[in-house]
Amino acid sequence: MSKSDTSQPVIDVEKVTFSFKEHRALERVTFQVWPGSLHGFVGPNGAGKTTTLKLICTLLRPQLGRITVFGHDVREDMPAVRRRLGFMPDHFSLYRQMTVYEYLDFFGAAYGFSQQQRDRIVADVLALTDMERRRDDLIQGLSRGLQQRVSLARVLVNDPDLLLLDEPASGLDPRARIELMEILRALKQMGKTIFISSHILTELAELCDSVTIIDRGTTRYSGPMDELLQRNSVQPTYKLKLESPANGLIDALKASAGIVDVTSLDDPRELRIVCESSTPDANTLLRRILEHNVQFVSFGPDQRHLNEAFMHLTQEGVRS
């Protein structure tokens, strides 16, 4: 599968089962990830997310079922799979006594790049992750958020087409999380396919265009993010924040087809819009809002209702 081929999924997981002794970690898991997407992989702790990631990146081998990455079977063509992907685990594997530059240069050498190539590559990934000023800092002296950036920069050294990120925002403060998400958006715009695991659906709601929800080793949902609410009989609900209160907007929207209710929140500039399950997509709804000549600050799914959809699909507790 070439970089320009968008007719085949980048990741194709088909009825995959995997067990650790008597513990069944995955049971006929099935989903696809398409080229250029930013795909969320969501589930409670212990749902099987890390096991699935390790299978995709060839650290584990499927016992039943089939996984292909860019058309290559992960069991039969491991070198071809590994050349196309970068895996960032949920724990740091940093050589803390190295400087940032030394660490990235070391991995560039491991990939077989010449010194001239490594100098260019390291400069590029430092710029992309906004770590140029930290080039000569020891890794052990960096904050967790900056160490996370170094880990991401290391993943990018071989210019992979697919990024597999396991809980990349875990333990980060709000500012570091926002900055990380901006870097991921930039990578998506560059054409990378990004597969990001998390146990928090709302963390990925505005970032991902598609999502797979896994619980107790089985697939509960896989598809576009904006269809998640409709798929699970939860009324699509959006939050709109205006630059200033708009008189008459609530009544006007209530009279619009497909809108069930519009309410003002504690801040009079913020509205919650509840729609029928058959309502047009978010872009169409936003165009309707703009017809009323209002200036808005933000518009997107109401995270509270995304949580309801997530809880509807998953079960209480962690599988023993």
Side-chain angles (χ1 to χ4, degrees):
M1 179 179 174
S2 67
K3 290 186 178 183
S4 60
D5 186 359
T6 59
S7 63
Q8 298 182 38
V10 169
I11 302 173
D12 193 354
V13 177
E14 184 180 357
K15 299 179 181 178
V16 168
T17 296
F18 189 89
S19 298
F20 295 98
K21 295 184 178 179
E22 278 103 33
H23 172 62
R24 182 61 60 86
L26 301 175
E27 180 71 49
R28 297 176 65 83
V29 169
T30 299
F31 63 86
Q32 295 178 326
V33 178
W34 293 90
S37 65
L38 210 165
H39 190 98
F41 190 49
V42 187
N45 291 328
K49 301 187 299 299
T50 297
T51 299
T52 304
L53 281 167
K54 289 181 176 180
L55 288 165
I56 293 170
C57 70
T58 76
L59 295 179
L60 295 174
R61 295 167 65 87
Q63 295 162 343
L64 292 173
R66 186 169 184 260
I67 300 175
T68 60
V69 178
F70 294 104
H72 301 286
D73 190 288
V74 297
R75 282 181 293 202
E76 299 174 0
D77 203 352
M78 287 191 294
V81 171
R82 291 177 176 180
R83 280 194 294 269
R84 301 287 297 274
L85 63 80
F87 175 48
M88 180 174 164
D90 62 347
H91 59 276
F92 294 135
S93 55
L94 302 173
Y95 302 140
R96 298 169 61 82
Q97 298 298 323
M98 286 184 171
T99 67
V100 172
Y101 173 82
E102 289 170 341
Y103 178 74
L104 298 175
D105 181 70
F106 170 80
F107 277 94
Y111 281 115
F113 296 119
S114 68
Q115 185 64 62
Q116 183 178 11
Q117 290 174 315
R118 299 201 304 271
D119 287 341
R120 175 181 54 78
I121 290 168
V122 172
D124 287 345
V125 297
L126 287 175
L128 184 60
T129 54
D130 196 22
M131 288 291 289
E132 294 163 297
R133 290 174 295 175
R134 301 287 187 160
R135 179 182 187 274
D136 298 317
D137 290 4
L138 286 175
I139 291 175
Q140 67 180 5
L142 299 176
S143 67
R144 181 177 177 85
L146 293 180
Q147 289 187 10
Q148 197 78 307
R149 290 197 198 187
V150 176
S151 291
L152 181 58
R154 188 267 306 165
V155 170
L156 297 171
V157 164
N158 66 322
D159 192 24
D161 300 312
L162 169 64
L163 303 179
L164 303 175
L165 312 179
D166 193 2
E167 301 281 0
S170 176
L172 300 186
D173 61 50
R175 182 178 184 86
R177 284 176 183 244
I178 293 171
E179 291 171 346
L180 175 64
M181 297 307 169
E182 288 303 317
I183 293 172
L184 296 181
R185 288 189 179 97
L187 289 168
K188 181 179 185 296
Q189 291 176 353
M190 294 169 58
K192 306 290 187 186
T193 302
I194 303 173
F195 186 74
I196 177 171
S197 168
S198 176
H199 63 282
I200 305 174
L201 177 61
T202 54
E203 185 173 80
L204 304 180
E206 297 183 10
L207 181 69
C208 297
D209 46 58
S210 55
V211 63
T212 294
I213 295 178
I214 186 174
D215 183 37
R216 305 195 179 210
T218 61
T219 308
R220 302 297 186 183
Y221 171 84
S222 188
M225 181 69 80
D226 59 7
E227 291 182 8
L228 177 59
L229 297 178
Q230 298 178 17
R231 175 78 174 260
N232 293 284
S233 302
V234 178
Q235 290 177 311
T237 305
Y238 300 90
K239 186 179 290 186
L240 171 68
K241 184 172 183 179
L242 304 168
E243 286 191 353
S244 59
N247 295 329
L249 179 61
I250 291 179
D251 291 339
L253 289 177
K254 283 183 177 180
S256 182
I259 294 180
V260 176
D261 190 28
V262 182
T263 55
S264 178
L265 303 180
D266 293 338
D267 185 337
R269 297 173 301 167
E270 294 186 345
L271 304 179
R272 177 173 290 123
I273 305 170
V274 182
C275 304
E276 297 175 353
S277 59
S278 58
T279 190
D281 61 28
N283 290 332
T284 302
L285 178 58
L286 183 57
R287 284 195 293 271
R288 289 186 187 177
I289 293 168
L290 294 177
E291 289 174 357
H292 297 282
N293 297 318
V294 296
Q295 299 295 319
F296 73 98
V297 176
S298 62
F299 173 77
D302 184 353
Q303 292 184 346
R304 183 189 67 174
H305 290 263
L306 284 170
N307 280 334
E308 289 178 4
F310 180 72
M311 295 303 292
H312 177 72
L313 285 164
T314 58
Q315 303 176 43
E316 293 184 5
V318 177
R319 182 176 179 174
S320 60

